[in-house]
Amino acid sequence: MDTILLNDSENDLLKAADLIKNGNVVGLPTETVYGLGADSANENAVRAIFTAKGRPADNPLIVHLADFSDAVKYTTSIPELAYKLAERFCPGPLTMVLPKNDRIPMVTSGGLDTVGIRVPSHPVMHRIIELSGCPIAAPSANISGYPSPTTAEHVMRDMQGRVAAVVNGGQSDFGVESTVISFDSDSSVRILRPGAVTQEMLLEVCDNVVIDPAILHEVEEGATVASPGMKYKHYSPKADIIMVESDFESFKSVVDKAYSDGVYTLVFDGDEANCPYRHMSYGSDSLQQAHLLFQRLRELDELGAKKVYVRAPSPEGIGLAVYNRLIRAAGFEVIRI
Ligand code: TXA
Ligand code: MG
């Protein structure tokens, strides 16, 4: 299959929408990361997403809608709190897990009786959902396990020959995937995956916001998890990632002992001038770190890095999302000093 690259002209968005309507898989830009989209009701198209990514069949896909008011068409009940959250955060980087109805096939939900609903704010994604007239199932557009793509070029690298088209909508704003939440009660939600909609932001609308322990801790094999994505290895470049939680001086003493061919470092902007090692920088605050992390992990692979020592980000605000992705990329290998 030849993968065509489309741009954000109305004509190309119509082509992308037609491809989706006709059962094809298309790489799509969103404000978080790029997704691999197909008609969520078309079982063969959804299966083709799993095949293109090499994704385990029990890991459910998020369904993207043009407006949260459409969620009633695909769910059996929606708590009042979900509407309040939608009013505040939709469109945007929030996914709400709700009980699904029969219009969402089991392949799409990975065999679960729930579905993650998200209303993306990226104008290109929004327009393609409108033009296609179908809810679009879309996981991140990377090969399963690899860092998520934040540019059309990344998607092309991973998906060339595997999908019908990729739409170039520029670099993703946030750079980390949406916040995924479920509802514990009428006034309480649980964060299953941290993102740009932070715990503090959710607390403006909910009485109680629980951070699922699996966000920061490795789940034991065979344990029951609230979200299937928690059990899989994720976000890992080819290089070995080692997270170092310390000040810059201690970081350097760790790297010093291990420094050899193929060893790289990923540091903060302010460290660069005093970093004697092969290095890349991923910004100076949490928002920049989110924006750049996956891109840097891909670039380090291109440089041929075998081992990367990473200065651990602050886990505050959107930083929790960055920390969560990195600790998984590192296979929970963290040096704390
Ligand atoms: O920002 C995003 O969410 C991006 C863009 C493309 O929208 N999508 C994305 O999808 O990150 P994916 O499939 O790579 O990650 C979805 C995560 C997985 O960890 C999955 O297990 C979880 O959300 N998830 C999806 N549906 C769920 C459900 N019904 N119950 C629990 N977890 C769910
Ligand atoms: Mg993903």
Side-chain angles (χ1 to χ4, degrees):
M1 183 187 324
D2 243 1
T3 303
I4 53 170
L5 185 61
L6 299 171
N7 61 39
D8 60 1
S9 66
E10 181 74 0
N11 197 34
D12 271 13
L13 302 194
L14 270 165
K15 279 189 205 163
D18 270 342
L19 283 168
I20 288 170
K21 262 195 277 192
N22 292 315
N24 295 284
V25 179
V26 178
L28 302 167
T30 88
E31 71 279 20
T32 56
V33 300
Y34 274 69
L36 272 193
D39 176 356
S40 65
N42 182 328
E43 298 190 21
N44 284 330
V46 170
R47 274 190 206 102
I49 295 179
F50 282 89
T51 307
K53 275 182 69 82
R55 180 177 175 108
D58 70 349
N59 199 359
L61 306 185
I62 292 170
V63 171
H64 299 73
L65 305 175
D67 196 288
F68 191 75
S69 61
D70 291 335
V72 287
K73 298 184 198 158
Y74 308 102
T75 55
T76 55
S77 71
I78 300 178
E80 201 50 46
L81 183 57
Y83 284 108
K84 285 196 196 137
L85 287 164
E87 211 169 284
R88 172 80 169 75
F89 300 113
C90 295
L94 179 67
T95 298
M96 297 189 239
V97 173
L98 296 166
K100 76 166 196 74
N101 70 17
D102 290 346
R103 293 178 71 177
I104 303 291
M106 279 293 180
V107 267
T108 305
S109 69
L112 298 178
D113 51 16
T114 56
V115 60
I117 298 282
R118 170 157 127 74
V119 181
S121 64
H122 195 296
V124 168
M125 179 68 170
H126 188 263
R127 186 72 183 138
I128 292 173
I129 301 170
E130 274 183 344
L131 290 171
S132 70
C134 43
I136 296 183
S140 52
N142 50 289
I143 296 286
S144 206
Y146 203 62
S148 297
T150 54
T151 67
E153 198 193 359
H154 295 163
V155 183
M156 273 301 206
R157 287 261 164 97
D158 284 19
M159 292 297 157
Q160 184 120 51
R162 294 170 185 250
V163 300
V166 174
V167 182
N168 187 352
Q171 182 158 20
S172 297
D173 271 349
F174 291 111
V176 287
E177 305 85 344
S178 63
T179 304
V180 179
I181 59 166
S182 63
F183 294 85
D184 280 359
S185 75
D186 290 346
S187 59
S188 172
V189 300
R190 172 177 297 263
I191 300 180
L192 306 179
R193 181 179 69 183
V197 174
T198 63
Q199 182 183 33
E200 300 78 58
M201 290 162 75
L202 291 166
L203 277 168
E204 291 167 23
V205 182
C206 312
D207 290 344
N208 193 25
V209 179
V210 176
I211 295 181
D212 196 283
I215 283 174
L216 292 174
H217 305 281
E218 194 166 14
V219 295
E220 278 169 44
E221 223 175 287
T224 322
V225 289
S227 175
M230 290 166 169
K231 10 176 241 217
Y232 295 110
K233 193 167 161 82
H234 265 324
Y235 320 114
S236 305
K238 295 193 194 92
D240 267 347
I241 300 293
I242 299 138
M243 225 163 112
V244 184
E245 231 175 304
S246 70
D247 60 26
F248 189 45
E249 288 313 309
S250 308
F251 176 82
K252 286 198 281 192
S253 71
V254 168
V255 179
D256 231 44
K257 290 188 198 105
Y259 201 58
S260 61
D261 277 0
V263 173
Y264 280 71
T265 58
L266 185 59
V267 299
F268 306 145
D269 282 0
D271 304 333
E272 282 199 286
N274 298 312
C275 187
Y277 316 110
R278 283 176 292 272
H279 65 269
M280 295 197 95
S281 158
Y282 72 125
S284 52
D285 61 46
S286 298
L287 210 56
Q288 284 175 11
Q289 287 167 1
H291 184 70
L292 289 172
L293 176 67
F294 288 142
Q295 179 176 333
R296 291 291 182 260
L297 293 181
R298 283 172 176 261
E299 286 166 350
L300 284 158
D301 269 355
E302 276 163 39
L303 289 172
K306 296 282 172 271
K307 215 177 211 195
V308 183
Y309 288 86
V310 184
R311 284 207 69 191
S314 149
E316 301 297 315
I318 191 177
L320 182 64
V322 182
Y323 193 99
N324 163 267
R325 305 314 189 267
L326 261 172
I327 203 171
R328 289 185 139 66
F332 293 89
E333 196 176 338
V334 186
I335 297 171
R336 294 190 174 90
I337 298 168

